Amino acid sequence: MTLRHRPHRILFLPADDRPCSLTWPRLTCRMVDWDLIMPPPNMLGWFNEAGKADDLATWSLDAARDPLDGAVVSLDMLAFGGTQAGRGPTTRTALAQQRLDSLAQLREVVGAAPICAFSVILGFDVAPRSDDSARFGRQLREYSILAARSDSPDGELATEQLRDLEVSLPQAVIGEYLAIRARNHEINRRGIEELAAKNLDLLVLVQDTAGPEGLHREEQAELLSLARSLGVEEKVLLCNAGAEIGMVLIARLIHEHMGKVPTVRVIYHGGETCDQPAPGEDRTVTEQFAAMAAVMGARVVDDPHADITALVNCPIAVSSQNLAVDTAYDHRRSTLAALVARYQEATAGRGLAIFDLAFADGADEALVDGMTAAVKDFPRLLSFSGWQGAGNALAVGLAHAALRIIALQDKGAFDLAQVIADLTPMRYLALLDALIESEKAHISLLFSRLIEDYCYNTQVRPQVEGHIVNIVRDSTVDLSEVHDRAERLMRELLTASAADLWIENFLGRASVSLGMAPNRSQLVLAELEETRLSYPWRRLAEIDLTFTFGVELVAD
């Protein structure tokens, strides 16, 4: 720890063990030279295997005995052993409630240090106990919508449709679905009660994949009503996202500690779709951006001098694959290139963050092509994100951009210190090493988002899916080998794509300037040295990317 006057530590209990919960939060903290204290990965479970919730509670209390500047806690991990486990029926309500008793103990240990928590409101999907129940996923989504409509004043038709649907759904399936929802709703109520008891300082209710209608909307209203009745409504925030909300809360704590309120100017591209809900979400894109900014403690402003200029590529009604062959593609690419170039210039190449919400099935190829034409140095972007749904992408990109701003301010302080302070050679080298590590963390986040959101989801994943369908349909492979075959093909295709992207947009580019004239130097990106790729949960939805690269300090 060299950039701060003392070590700074945040305790983080994530929602699962995926890279968005472990690797990315760690990189965001490394950008600003903060320590992130996380449990051993083997406590966090894996996919449908629940984490060790009771052990994690003990670990959290032990880890908190050393001084902390804050804590971020997933209530789903604490109560159920993770978000995925929270979608299933295994944990009984009484046990989940009992596990949350550790929040009072955590408060006693950390004292006045802020504790932020996040907890999921179930969307349409649960993780049923049996394959038989899993067959009714589509009907359960319809059930949720009709059940909510039937409670409305003009719900007669919905009530009749609901009765018809219940005939086709086994009662055991409906009962399990409603029991999971009821249990999780009680845990969210408990989170609000913990706020009122001052064991938490902030609670973010994270709406899982859903739509504008459904039982989740009734649950949201009940939870917000409870917060008002307990006088803690200003400490309860609601947004669409997932496990990556942990990153946003970490960024919030860091800014609060430094007394900073990041300002964000938002530029929407996409016309009326900005005022419509994105696929899988229950609020409009503009509402969602405002909600995510509130979670991070940022302020949305109409000011060209804002810390962050957020260029938001709003949702499109067609798939990314269909758009790529559309006759309007060239026009769309040139329009986006001009837009990116305009705001890259307006922010002096330093304050632009790009949020690609066009598709939930991959990045917008027209946007990335436009970026390639318009952005001379990709490393100078604050962030890029097209991760999963709109809320997920906003969470990742905002957290990255906000902490990148602090990292750039650290660089400015380093430049000034060389002029007005008498730095010893050892102190100078220590500060320089810390700044280089910060730059590497920024590049790692930026490059990984382009690789996963664009190269993988838009280009490689469709090929892997097609390959799997073909080998299964043609009966040319043992089903137990499907994962290995898929991962091998993904690794082969994506390693080549990563190398090409690095060469074309990162290699030889200056990441940051250090020092002042006439002694200014550039930190230049060198060769991509090693790339490792895998499927962390043995499914196609996300990848685990680790890579190493060189940097060179070159006189300007």
Side-chain angles (χ1 to χ4, degrees):
M1 303 290 292
T2 54
L3 291 177
R4 307 291 161 215
H5 66 283
R6 65 167 176 81
H8 292 290
R9 305 166 75 248
I10 292 177
L11 184 146
F12 182 40
L13 187 62
D16 56 48
D17 70 330
R18 291 177 298 159
C20 63
S21 293
L22 300 184
T23 306
W24 307 352
R26 186 180 291 114
L27 287 171
T28 55
C29 283
R30 192 187 302 170
M31 278 199 300
V32 293
D33 208 4
W34 279 51
D35 288 339
L36 194 61
I37 312 303
M38 291 190 289
N42 62 2
M43 284 189 184
L44 296 173
W46 176 82
F47 198 9
N48 290 322
E49 176 186 332
K52 301 173 182 177
D54 297 315
D55 292 345
L56 286 165
T58 301
W59 172 87
S60 299
L61 295 174
D62 289 341
R65 298 192 189 283
D66 292 326
L68 291 175
D69 294 283
V72 176
V73 176
S74 163
L75 297 189
D76 296 288
M77 180 59 77
L78 196 58
F80 310 122
T83 300
Q84 190 71 6
R87 295 190 178 108
T90 303
T91 305
R92 294 184 178 277
T93 304
L95 177 58
Q97 291 273 20
Q98 179 183 330
R99 286 169 170 169
L100 293 191
D101 291 344
S102 63
L103 290 172
Q105 298 171 284
L106 183 62
R107 167 57 72 201
E108 184 177 349
V109 173
V110 304
I115 304 174
C116 298
F118 60 107
S119 184
V120 168
I121 298 175
L122 278 179
F124 290 139
D125 298 327
V126 296
R129 192 187 308 270
S130 68
D131 290 340
D132 184 59
S133 296
R135 292 189 296 109
F136 297 99
R138 183 185 60 79
Q139 291 97 317
L140 286 173
R141 290 185 176 211
E142 188 178 355
Y143 178 90
S144 176
I145 294 171
L146 291 174
R149 285 180 184 171
S150 67
D151 291 335
S152 64
D154 54 349
E156 294 85 358
L157 177 59
T159 301
E160 183 178 340
Q161 293 171 326
L162 183 62
R163 290 196 196 101
D164 293 340
L165 181 60
E166 287 175 335
V167 172
S168 65
L169 277 171
Q171 287 302 305
V173 171
I174 297 175
E176 181 180 73
Y177 175 72
L178 294 177
I180 294 171
R181 295 203 72 94
R183 179 203 62 192
N184 289 26
H185 188 57
E186 284 303 309
I187 292 305
N188 287 330
R189 289 179 58 89
R190 173 68 181 275
I192 294 171
E193 291 165 358
E194 294 293 332
L195 268 176
K198 302 188 185 305
N199 294 325
L200 297 176
D201 295 283
L202 184 76
L203 175 64
V204 180
L205 296 170
V206 184
Q207 179 56 61
D208 202 2
T209 304
E213 295 181 284
L215 292 173
H216 59 284
R217 298 289 286 186
E218 294 181 359
E219 292 167 357
Q220 290 176 15
E222 290 175 13
L223 292 168
L224 295 177
S225 176
L226 174 63
R228 285 191 294 272
S229 69
L230 295 177
V232 293
E233 64 270 25
E234 293 184 358
K235 297 180 180 180
V236 177
L237 302 176
L238 177 65
C239 67
N240 295 102
E244 57 283 326
I245 279 296
M247 289 177 65
V248 185
L249 289 174
I250 289 166
R252 179 191 182 99
L253 287 180
I254 292 172
H255 279 85
E256 284 183 347
H257 178 83
M258 293 182 171
K260 296 178 181 291
V261 178
T263 56
V264 188
R265 180 191 186 195
V266 192
I267 310 297
Y268 293 105
H269 174 75
E272 62 184 19
T273 62
C274 300
D275 295 317
Q276 299 172 0
E281 301 192 352
D282 65 349
R283 63 203 64 235
T284 68
V285 171
T286 52
E287 289 170 340
Q288 176 62 353
F289 197 103
M292 196 62 65
V295 172
M296 197 176 69
R299 187 160 52 91
V300 177
V301 298
D302 184 15
D303 182 354
H305 302 293
D307 298 320
I308 301 166
T309 295
L311 180 56
V312 179
N313 189 28
C314 291
I316 298 175
V318 299
S319 73
S320 56
Q321 285 74 35
N322 290 338
L323 187 69
V325 297
D326 192 278
T327 55
Y329 177 80
D330 288 341
H331 172 72
R332 180 173 168 75
R333 178 177 56 189
S334 61
T335 300
L336 286 165
L339 193 66
V340 171
R342 174 185 172 186
Y343 288 103
Q344 179 78 344
E345 181 180 0
T347 58
R350 269 298 176 207
L352 184 61
I354 298 177
F355 301 85
D356 187 2
L357 315 185
F359 309 109
D361 59 347
D364 183 355
E365 193 156 9
L367 172 61
V368 179
D369 283 353
M371 287 168 54
T372 302
V375 179
K376 180 181 177 181
D377 293 321
F378 270 33
R380 294 184 182 271
L381 290 172
L382 291 181
S383 66
F384 171 86
S385 181
W387 166 249
Q388 295 190 346
N392 311 85
L394 291 176
V396 174
L398 269 176
H400 181 183
L403 291 182
R404 174 61 174 164
I405 290 292
I406 293 179
L408 291 173
Q409 292 168 350
D410 289 339
K411 194 276 301 182
F414 172 75
D415 293 344
L416 184 62
Q418 293 181 73
V419 176
I420 65 173
D422 185 17
L423 295 178
T424 67
M426 290 296 292
R427 178 59 175 161
Y428 170 82
L429 290 174
L431 288 170
L432 181 61
D433 284 346
L435 288 171
I436 290 174
E437 286 303 306
S438 171
E439 287 303 307
K440 283 187 170 183
H442 164 62
I443 295 300
S444 295
L445 273 171
L446 182 63
F447 185 65
S448 68
R449 299 296 10 101
L450 286 162
I451 292 300
E452 182 163 10
D453 303 342
Y454 172 57
C455 294
Y456 174 66
N457 276 309
T458 301
Q459 298 181 321
V460 170
R461 181 173 173 177
Q463 297 181 61
V464 175
E465 290 173 346
H467 177 66
I468 291 173
V469 169
N470 288 336
I471 62 176
V472 172
R473 182 183 56 209
D474 297 342
S475 299
T476 59
V477 63
D478 185 321
L479 290 178
S480 64
E481 299 176 11
V482 168
H483 165 263
D484 291 341
R485 292 282 193 97
E487 189 172 73
R488 189 158 54 244
L489 178 60
M490 177 275 291
R491 190 179 293 126
E492 175 186 337
L493 296 174
L494 201 52
T495 298
S497 295
D500 290 343
L501 184 70
W502 185 266
I503 291 169
E504 294 168 6
N505 296 290
F506 288 85
L507 180 62
R509 303 301 208 277
S511 175
V512 72
S513 298
L514 296 173
M516 296 183 176
N519 300 314
R520 182 182 293 121
S521 299
Q522 302 268 8
L523 192 65
V524 176
L525 304 180
E527 297 289 339
L528 187 63
E529 296 167 353
E530 184 180 13
T531 303
R532 295 184 296 276
L533 292 154
S534 64
Y535 286 125
W537 274 8
R538 298 174 71 90
R539 64 180 191 177
L540 302 185
E542 61 270 307
I543 61 170
D544 189 359
L545 166 67
T546 57
F547 61 97
T548 57
F549 59 94
V551 295
E552 297 175 351
L553 199 59
V554 179
D556 194 354

